[in-house]
Amino acid sequence: MKRILLVEDELEIAELERDYLEINEMEVTIERNGARGLELALQDEFDLIILDIMLPDMSGFDICREIRAKKEMPILLVSARKEDIDKIRGLGLGADDYITKPFSPSELVARVKAHLARYERLAKNNIASQNEILQVHDLTLDLDGRKVFVADQEIIFTTKEFDLLVFLAKRPNRVWNKEQLFEQIWGMQAAGDVSTVVVHIRKIREKLESHGDFSESIETIWGAGYRFNL
């Protein structure tokens, strides 16, 4: 049974979400206090976290940042705020999805299942891999250890940043549009916002370019998508 941490200060909403998740055979812990939710997330072992942004004592953005710095599991941000800047900020902090209220409980369950399945496939792939190393000029990708190095200096990538970089690096000189990349990396066709691809590409570029001349490694092909150049 998958363990879900639900950080939501509105009890009625939290209980409704919990009921739908429990019907789908998930164990749900509700925490209405942001600081306590952060403490639970870091101390206990959960398979996924649903995190409201607008908490009375602590911003959900700050909680997401703290969790992602220390742990890798799916984080779904929930908010009534619909502005693109909030979505971009949340995804940039390492969240896996951003769900805008109001939404149907069945949509939440679908997204939770999709993210859990993707992380499960990722874990199986890690076990199956045998210290595979992908070398592209000064860039080294340790596929088994899920580490990125430039000239022997490690760069920290989030799970999806790493997956996206590896996917592109393994398939160089081909153009992929946002929808294709979203489906390949997030494993969903309609259960999310493809703008997350843009955010993750930008973060990957920033991290690589801060350690060397990678300005042309991931090229934007306007109107078409992205290409990893060798």
Side-chain angles (χ1 to χ4, degrees), residues 163-174 176 181 201 204 218 226-228:
D163 292 345
L164 183 54
L165 176 58
V166 169
F167 180 84
L168 291 171
K170 278 187 169 183
R171 300 160 181 84
N173 304 321
R174 172 178 172 177
W176 299 84
L181 293 174
I201 290 288
I204 291 170
I218 302 178
Y226 301 97
R227 178 175 61 205
F228 188 92

Side-chain angles (χ1 to χ4, degrees), residues 1-205:
M1 182 175 290
K2 297 297 184 181
R3 299 188 65 213
I4 310 297
L5 174 61
L6 175 55
V7 186
E8 168 65 68
D9 63 312
E10 296 186 44
L11 184 58
E12 184 177 347
I13 293 176
E15 290 179 340
L16 177 62
E17 294 173 354
R18 179 196 61 195
D19 291 345
Y20 270 79
L21 292 167
E22 288 183 344
I23 289 172
N24 286 271
E25 300 182 345
M26 301 180 199
E27 178 185 332
V28 180
T29 298
I30 295 176
E31 178 52 60
R32 300 174 65 188
N33 177 274
R36 176 58 181 159
L38 174 60
E39 183 179 350
L40 282 174
L42 296 179
Q43 292 182 354
D44 210 335
E45 294 298 325
F46 293 96
D47 296 293
L48 182 142
I49 297 174
I50 302 171
L51 176 61
D52 187 41
I53 290 178
M54 302 296 290
L55 296 167
D57 64 316
M58 190 175 185
S59 167
F61 290 128
D62 293 334
I63 297 173
C64 179
R65 182 190 297 109
E66 292 289 333
I67 295 172
R68 185 56 77 222
K70 299 178 176 65
K71 286 196 171 185
E72 285 292 348
M73 80 280 282
I75 300 176
L76 278 63
L77 293 181
V78 176
S79 176
R81 296 163 63 169
K82 301 180 181 180
E83 293 80 4
D84 287 343
I85 188 63
D86 291 316
K87 294 182 181 181
I88 292 171
R89 181 183 179 190
L91 296 170
L93 289 172
D96 295 86
D97 208 345
Y98 188 106
I99 310 175
T100 303
K101 296 179 181 178
F103 54 83
S104 68
S106 58
E107 178 189 359
L108 176 67
V109 171
R111 295 201 188 193
V112 166
K113 286 183 174 181
H115 286 292
L116 287 172
R118 195 194 71 81
Y119 267 70
E120 194 169 294
R121 289 195 302 271
L122 177 61
K124 289 180 180 178
N125 289 339
N126 283 345
I127 293 173
S129 63
Q130 297 294 324
N131 294 321
E132 186 179 356
I133 300 295
L134 182 61
Q135 187 76 43
V136 184
H137 305 302
D138 291 335
L139 178 65
T140 302
L141 303 177
D142 179 353
L143 305 189
D144 183 48
R146 298 187 62 80
K147 295 182 178 181
V148 179
F149 299 89
V150 172
D152 297 325
Q153 183 175 0
E154 184 177 0
I155 310 174
I156 304 301
F157 279 74
T158 67
T159 296
K160 284 192 174 62
E161 289 170 358
F162 182 86
D163 292 345
L164 183 54
L165 176 58
V166 169
F167 180 84
L168 291 171
K170 278 187 169 183
R171 300 160 181 84
N173 304 321
R174 172 178 172 177
V175 177
W176 299 84
N177 64 40
K178 289 181 290 186
E179 290 75 16
Q180 289 172 322
L181 293 174
F182 187 85
E183 182 178 350
Q184 291 291 331
I185 304 304
W186 281 261
M188 299 170 285
Q189 291 184 331
D193 188 346
V194 295
S195 64
T196 187
V197 175
V198 179
V199 175
H200 282 73
I201 290 288
R202 176 174 58 81
K203 299 293 286 187
I204 291 170
R205 283 171 169 162

